Structures are given as C-alpha cells and as structure tokens.
Amino acid sequence: MLSSPHMGDEEIQYVGQAFDTNWIAPLGPNVDGFETELAEFTGAKYAAAVSSGTAAIHLALLLLDVKPTDVVFCSSLTFAASVNPVMYQHATPVFIDSEAKTWNMSPIALEKALVEYASRGIKPKAVIVVNLYGQSADMEPIVELCNKYEVPIIEDAAESLGAKYKGKYSGTFGQFGIYSFNGNKIITTSGGGCLYQKIRN
Ligand SMILES: Cc1ncc(COP(=O)(O)O)c(C=O)c1O
C-alpha cells in the first residue's frame, strides 16, 4: 500500500534517542533491533536491512549470480524499481501479465512463458513476483510452477508488509523476499529496504 507517513510522539522519542546515543552511523542497536523484529514479525529466519527496496532486489539478483546473458521474469504491473536491478545486471527482463483476480502475476501467463522459454532451451534465472498495493499474487500455483521449473522466486513485497496469503506473510514465499521502507510505504525509515532469504535446512 502507498500513503504519506504519520509522525507521532514515539517516532520523535526514537529519533532523539538515536541522536543522544550517537548511533546515527554506521549502524547500531536500532538497525539490529529492526532486523530482528522484522524477521520475528514475518516469521522469516533472517532479515538484512539495506539502503532501499531496489537495493534489496539487486542484492537478491547478485546472490543468484544474474549475468548479462540471463533472462529474468518479472510482473508487468508494477513500479519500475521491480525491474531496474535486472537492467543494472544487463540481463533481459521478460514481463509476465497480470490476472484479473489479484491484478498481480497470472500463474497461467507464467506457465505459458516457462513452457515457451523451456522450448527454446532457456531457463530464467529468477522470477520477480510483485505483490502490489498490499495485495498478494496467487502464490500457491506460482510457487508450484517455479519449483517444477526450478526457478527461484524473488518476492517483491515492497508494498505488502503485513499482508497475508493463506495465513502466511507476504514476502516469505520466495527464496528471497524484499520490503521497502521508502517514504510512501506501510512503515518508513524515510528511505530503506530489507532482504529476506529463505534458508533451506
Ligand atoms: C513494487 C515496488 N517495488 C520496489 C520498490 C522499490 O523500493 P525503494 O523505493 O525502497 O527502492 C517500490 C517502491 O518504491 C515498489 O513500490
């Protein structure tokens, strides 16, 4: 979801505390606490704070070793930041259309694209699924398809912190999930983001 921030007494208190304790830079207990509480809230094992949601997507692509020769699928109805990091890696984005029910990535369109690209001998390096305006994509069939074709999911939950799909938090379905704390997001640090990585045991 998108809205302008509301600042209150608690926010002033914590900003004051950061100044008083001189933990403005580089990091400090507030950032550590933020990562821990975010991971606890979403049920994610770990969460790493970064400078923006865009940086979190970029980091996920780097961890997946996305190179200029790679193809990355991405939701078509989204903010440009979902796909910009694909361009930073000079990879090729392929946009997957939305479905009417969720307005997010259509599992039918995704399957068509996976089949089409497989027939050309191309496996996308990742699928970036966006959960726009607080609304989750239909993750069950999307996860099933990506498991079948062995393609990792990066879930762009920049706008959907706190939303749930079938009882589980948005952003925790993919191998990677990202949140944004840009000024117009559900909670904000003015600018910031977070990367969540699912660790398989
Ligand atoms: C869907 C979506 N993805 C990614 C981003 C990027 O987040 P940031 O602005 O923190 O880089 C945003 C918001 O800006 C967004 O709305």
Side-chain angles (χ1 to χ4, degrees), residues 83-137:
V83 79
N84 281 343
V86 177
M87 305 312 294
Y88 302 160
Q89 290 307 103
H90 304 284
T92 304
V94 171
F95 290 102
I96 309 296
D97 209 349
S98 293
E99 58 171 3
K101 198 171 123 205
T102 65
W103 290 15
N104 287 312
M105 185 180 283
S106 157
I108 294 168
L110 174 62
E111 184 166 27
K112 260 193 198 169
L114 286 166
V115 169
E116 162 69 21
Y117 275 80
S119 76
R120 296 192 223 162
I122 298 169
K123 184 157 104 167
K125 207 64 178 276
V127 176
I128 301 173
V129 183
V130 184
N131 300 325
L132 210 64
Y133 296 126
Q135 168 83 26
S136 177

Side-chain angles (χ1 to χ4, degrees), residues 128-182:
I128 301 173
V129 183
V130 184
N131 300 325
L132 210 64
Y133 296 126
Q135 168 83 26
S136 177
D138 191 3
M139 290 309 293
E140 204 166 65
I142 290 174
V143 168
E144 233 170 75
L145 278 167
C146 288
N147 284 342
K148 181 175 163 189
Y149 285 85
E150 297 177 329
V151 184
I153 293 175
I154 301 169
E155 208 183 343
D156 178 349
E159 299 181 10
S160 59
L161 175 66
K164 280 183 176 171
Y165 171 90
K166 301 200 174 175
K168 205 174 148 203
Y169 279 111
S170 174
T172 62
F173 286 83
Q175 273 72 15
F176 295 94
I178 76 98
Y179 299 110
S180 165
F181 309 113
N182 183 37

